[in-house]
Structures are given as structure tokens and as C-alpha cells.
Amino acid sequence: TTWFCLEDDRSSKILILVGEEDELAEPHALNLKQGIMSTFSSSSNKCNKDVQVMSMKQYCKMDRNLEKIPEFALLILIMSTSGPGEAPTNAMRFMTRMKKAKAAQGDKWLQNVRCVTLGIGSTNYDNFCGAPKQLVRYLKNVGSRVHATLTLTCVDKEDKDYIKKIQSWQGDLLKALLPREENKDRNVT
């Protein structure tokens, strides 16, 4: 089986949450949503996927205590850090609530939720992508199922090829979502 085979649940819910101050993350979240929808409309696994994209702040207003996160099969977090790896303002509340989740919800709270995180930061700072790294620790503390290589990908926004690296991450994620048979059909390893 694959890490996350969307054919297992034809109505899988996917949540893409964005944390940013510089508008670097949201376009990638929207592109990823389009990629997911396109991948599954063109595959033999034609499924009706519910893919939602919103800011972390917006999500916290809608789900005050993050109680609805376990309803999602896949949680994708895209965060562009500010300064020395700090969480952007619109992600602060989400980070705080996720930090407290283990005490409130237990260490198996997200055991059925798969999670991947993309951090966009600057290697000019010692704590490169510090907030996304911390967020992954919080997710693991509450039992989230993480992917061996896609759990956390950090990209340096100062790198001239950072867009290509994000696109590569998106492609790898889309491949991880397909059943193995389709990866073989598409010559994907």
C-alpha cells in the first residue's frame, strides 16, 4: 500500500493550511489544490475529493479548539517563516493550540490523519524554518502519521531555484497520493 492512498476513501477530506506574512505560501497552496484535483480527475481513481485551502488564522476562527482536524484524512501545512524562523502572525494561534493539543486531546488524537509540512524560510538566519520544524514536533506528539521523506521539507526563499524546489515537493506529494499501480502506469517510482 502507499503512504496515503486516496482510493481508500472516495470522499477523503484534505485540508491545506497556510501560515504567512509575505504572501509566499498561499499561491503554492492553491497550485497544490489544483494539482490534487487534476491528478484525481485524470487518474483511474476518479474520486470526489474535498480539498480546502485557508489560512491558519482563518481555520482557528472556524474550529476554535482544532477539534475538527481529525475529520481530515490529510493535513498539508505550508508556512513561510518571518525573520529568524519565527511563525508568521497568522499562524501564532494555530501553533499555540497545536502545542497544547497533547494535554487536551491525548497522544493519539491525530492517529488517523496524515500530515506533510512545507516550510519556506531563509538560511540567512540560524533558526532556518524553526516554526515549521516545531509544528512537525507538535503533530508527532499527537500521533499524526507522517511520511518518511515528505514530513517536513524546508526551502530557502533566498535560493534562486526555490520555486523549482517547491514544485518538486508538490510533484513528490502528488505521487505519494496515488496508488502504486498508477505510479507504475505513469512511470513513477
Side-chain angles (χ1 to χ4, degrees), residues 44-75:
S44 63
N45 182 29
K46 293 188 189 230
C47 304
N48 182 19
K49 301 296 167 220
D50 177 10
V51 183
Q52 299 175 32
V53 177
M54 64 183 73
S55 74
M56 292 178 184
K57 181 177 182 176
Q58 190 179 19
Y59 186 80
C60 284
K61 287 180 181 178
M62 182 187 82
D63 182 10
R64 186 168 156 72
N65 295 314
L66 308 182
E67 294 168 342
K68 295 180 182 178
I69 289 180
E71 295 174 10
F72 293 90
L74 176 62
L75 176 62

Side-chain angles (χ1 to χ4, degrees), residues 12 44 54 69 95 119 134 163 165 168 188:
S12 296
S44 63
M54 64 183 73
I69 289 180
M95 292 282 293
Q134 186 63 50
I163 298 288
K165 291 177 181 179
S168 175
V188 174

